[in-house]
Amino acid sequence: MSIGQRRFKAARVLLSLLTAGTFCVLSAGVEARAEAPVPLGGIAVEEPGPVHLSRLDLILTPAIIEARYQFQNMSGEAVEKDVRFSLPPQPVAGGAQENVLSRKAIDFTLSADRRFPELEARPRAILKDIDGTLLDVTGELRRADIPLTADLAEINKSLGRLDPLQRKSLVSSGILGREGTADEGPRWSLARHYVYRQRFPVNDIVKIEHSYRPLNAQDYFQVSGLLAEKYCINDESMGMLEGKNTRSLRKRRRPLFAQEIEYDLETVNAPIAMFNLVMNPADNEAALFTCMKGVKDNGKGTYAAAYENFTPSGPLKVLVVY
């Protein structure tokens, strides 16, 4: 059994519990949204060179994401490369955020050719410039002896030890807010990379799998222009939703609930020679909306698509409605 599969049955039970409650009516109007989904992604081979991604099988459910990669070394000699999984930058806020930013919090698991390599955590400090550019300021923090942590108490201790010239330099570069102002304190975000070293033999296939729990947004399902544009909701797809859920609504006497899922396809080594996408809402009466081209309902409760020489243009965004 591959990683992630043993959690699928539990996912169905969880979703059945979610859909058993009472929710707001399906209507047009202002959408009431929960927090936005966090677009986690997949693994990446750093500086891949001759290592090509020959196949990716991606399986999405609201409770678990599973990806199976096949990499091939196209050169005449074996090479070693760093393989990385990244969590997106989050503002330094301390407290519970320390857990949100960890692979343990999302139950991340990785195997390579049926072995489980030791992953090295490499935190990075990221600063968003005024023009939106993301700057890596890890070196600046290390030189100032500021810890790469989400623990605000520890950060404040180190800030208290700064001499005036160090503090002035960090304020001038935008890393620290000016004392006595509303944005006083750290202005960077913390990102974590998990890395291990992988050997790629000549012309051989290296199979790497990972799974984790996505950080979804959950809320009542209410259609608005913004939601319709984001997930390509139109009259035809709404008709499909009504057809799928007529029996469910009569039986459960409840309106609809939605989950937003995002997967950052830009983190993989494109182009992907063969990309197979399977999306399983884990509820046969659920409907799925996405702007991804070529996705088809196979009539068995899953949606699937297949692509060749695929280059992603942005994150995969999926809306599952129950």
Side-chain angles (χ1 to χ4, degrees):
M1 181 180 293
S2 62
I3 58 176
Q5 285 181 322
R6 53 184 173 272
R7 282 180 262 186
F8 178 70
K9 184 176 181 180
R12 293 184 65 96
V13 174
L14 172 63
L15 289 167
S16 66
L17 292 175
L18 281 174
T19 56
T22 303
F23 303 103
C24 185
V25 296
L26 171 64
S27 64
V30 179
E31 56 178 346
R33 310 305 304 155
E35 60 183 273
V38 178
L40 303 179
I43 61 170
V45 175
E46 297 185 342
E47 300 179 2
V51 178
H52 293 186
L53 180 51
S54 58
R55 177 167 177 160
L56 169 59
D57 298 325
L58 179 61
I59 304 169
L60 271 68
T61 78
I64 193 75
I65 288 178
E66 182 177 5
R68 304 165 187 163
Y69 296 79
Q70 294 185 16
F71 291 97
Q72 186 171 13
N73 176 11
M74 307 299 289
S75 71
E77 58 183 3
V79 296
E80 288 192 359
K81 300 287 183 179
D82 282 344
V83 177
R84 167 179 51 82
F85 173 75
S86 298
L87 291 172
Q90 298 289 326
V92 174
Q97 184 133 294
E98 186 74 13
N99 294 326
V100 172
L101 285 167
S102 72
R103 66 186 179 99
K104 182 179 180 181
I106 60 171
D107 294 333
F108 179 79
T109 306
L110 181 143
S111 69
D113 286 336
R114 298 185 180 182
R115 66 185 181 89
F116 296 88
E118 189 71 25
L119 302 179
E120 177 190 354
R122 297 181 185 176
R124 311 296 296 180
I126 306 298
L127 180 67
K128 191 172 185 178
D129 206 356
I130 56 175
D131 63 355
T133 304
L134 297 181
L135 306 174
D136 190 326
V137 295
T138 304
E140 287 86 339
L141 265 62
R142 284 179 172 157
R143 285 190 289 273
D145 201 24
I146 299 173
L148 294 172
T149 177
D151 188 336
L152 196 57
E154 288 298 316
I155 293 173
N156 286 334
K157 286 181 183 178
S158 64
L159 296 182
R161 295 190 292 265
L162 294 175
D163 63 51
L165 287 179
Q166 281 181 309
R167 181 177 288 274
K168 183 178 180 180
S169 174
L170 293 173
V171 170
S172 298
S173 60
I175 296 174
L176 284 180
R178 194 176 302 276
E179 288 186 284
T181 63
D183 63 347
E184 176 183 0
R187 299 182 61 193
W188 66 88
S189 296
L190 186 68
R192 282 198 176 102
H193 304 309
Y194 296 95
V195 183
Y196 80 97
R197 196 71 172 169
Q198 174 69 50
R199 185 176 186 272
F200 294 90
V202 178
N203 287 326
D204 200 1
I205 297 293
V206 173
K207 297 179 180 181
I208 303 175
E209 299 184 9
H210 73 67
S211 69
Y212 58 80
R213 290 187 296 105
L215 301 178
N216 305 333
Q218 304 179 39
D219 207 343
Y220 310 123
F221 178 58
Q222 296 179 313
V223 180
S224 73
L226 181 62
L227 197 69
E229 180 180 0
K230 185 177 181 180
Y231 297 106
C232 296
I233 301 174
N234 52 34
D235 290 342
E236 180 181 355
S237 57
M238 282 300 294
M240 175 193 68
L241 171 66
E242 292 170 3
K244 275 182 170 290
N245 284 275
T246 297
R247 184 178 61 180
S248 174
L249 289 172
R250 288 174 180 170
K251 180 180 178 181
R252 301 178 188 177
R253 297 181 179 273
R254 64 149 182 89
L256 299 179
F257 182 69
Q259 278 192 319
E260 294 182 83
I261 310 169
E262 290 194 17
Y263 187 90
D264 191 355
L265 285 166
E266 294 179 312
T267 59
V268 301
N269 297 99
I272 309 169
M274 182 181 297
F275 176 36
N276 297 314
L277 173 64
V278 176
M279 294 175 285
N280 192 328
D283 186 326
N284 291 337
E285 294 178 336
L288 183 145
F289 300 96
T290 180
C291 292
M292 195 81 168
K293 302 296 184 182
V295 175
K296 296 181 179 179
D297 182 354
N298 64 9
K300 301 178 182 179
T302 61
Y303 299 75
Y307 311 89
E308 294 182 356
N309 297 317
F310 180 79
T311 299
S313 58
L316 170 62
K317 300 177 181 180
V318 177
L319 182 71
V320 179
V321 180
Y322 306 92

